[in-house]
Each structure stands twice: as C-alpha cells, then as structure tokens.
Amino acid sequence: HVQLVESGGGSVQAGGSLRLSCAASGYAFNSMGWFRQAPGKEREGVAGTYTTNGRTDYTDSVKGRFTISRDNAKNTLFLQMLSLKPEDTGMYYCAAAYYILGVYSSPENYNVWGQGTQVTVS
C-alpha cells in the first residue's frame, strides 16, 4: 500500500523552528516535495528533491530558511524550517512522484499525497 504520512507540525512563535517529517511506504519515489496551503490561497510548492542527483529546489520566500532532505534508507522526507514567519502558516503536505520531475512546484505532477500537517506561526 503506497502512502505518505506527515508529522512534526505545530504552533510556534515567529523566529522559531519546526522539522516536518514524511514517512513514505510502498514505493521508493524518484521525486518528493513539500507544499503548503493557507486558507483562501492556492496550494504552493515549497521545496522539492530528486533521488537520482540529490538536487533540491525552493520557492524564493523560503530560501536560506528551509532545508529539504531525504533519508533514502528510511524512505523518509524532511523539511527543516528555521526563522519561521507568520506568512509560513498553513497546512503542509508531502507529495511524491514516480518519475523525475522537471518542475517541483506543480501539484499536478505528483502521484501520491499525504494528509497534511498544520503549521501555525504567530
């Protein structure tokens, strides 16, 4: 059974940090990413990573503050978030694709999604 399970969300004050985890099962995905969605806004690609070359991509607003990483042995994806801002608030989703993606930030390219974990920064 292919699934993604996120954990690690919570409520923090501005300037704080959180680490999100996404445990994948059932398949070793070639591309994985993190998305977020704030109330009333579209789902936004935050970061992506690719198994074959280890390349990582980030949306401009999180560069220098967020780090995406992956433990291939445990089939787990992480998102380390530092210097959090209120505008980082939203539901964070882990996503995975069977293929290597050219663009990490297009939700329609992903095959499997997690249930989401809430991040609130005040």
Side-chain angles (χ1 to χ4, degrees):
H1 178 62
V2 176
Q3 66 174 357
L4 305 174
V5 179
E6 300 106 330
S7 60
S11 296
V12 297
Q13 292 187 337
S17 61
L18 286 172
R19 189 190 193 209
L20 305 183
S21 299
C22 172
S25 60
Y27 194 84
F29 297 97
N30 283 298
S31 302
M32 296 189 75
W34 288 98
F35 287 76
R36 65 187 178 189
Q37 189 165 20
K41 294 188 176 181
E42 292 186 356
R43 191 166 295 191
E44 172 192 27
V46 176
T49 186
Y50 315 98
T51 302
T52 54
N53 57 16
R55 190 184 101 212
T56 57
D57 291 313
Y58 299 90
T59 191
D60 286 345
S61 64
V62 308
K63 286 179 180 177
R65 300 188 298 121
F66 290 12
T67 302
I68 188 171
S69 62
R70 186 171 175 179
D71 184 333
N72 291 323
K74 296 182 178 179
N75 210 7
T76 300
L77 182 73
F78 302 98
L79 185 68
Q80 179 68 55
M81 305 185 293
L82 304 176
S83 302
L84 282 161
K85 304 176 181 180
E87 51 264 43
D88 295 318
T89 295
M91 185 70 76
Y92 281 69
Y93 297 92
C94 173
Y98 296 122
Y99 305 103
I100 300 295
L101 300 179
V103 178
Y104 78 95
S105 57
S106 298
E108 62 270 20
N109 291 339
Y110 289 84
N111 305 107
V112 184
W113 290 82
Q115 80 288 354
T117 185
Q118 178 68 35
V119 172
T120 302
V121 185
S122 59

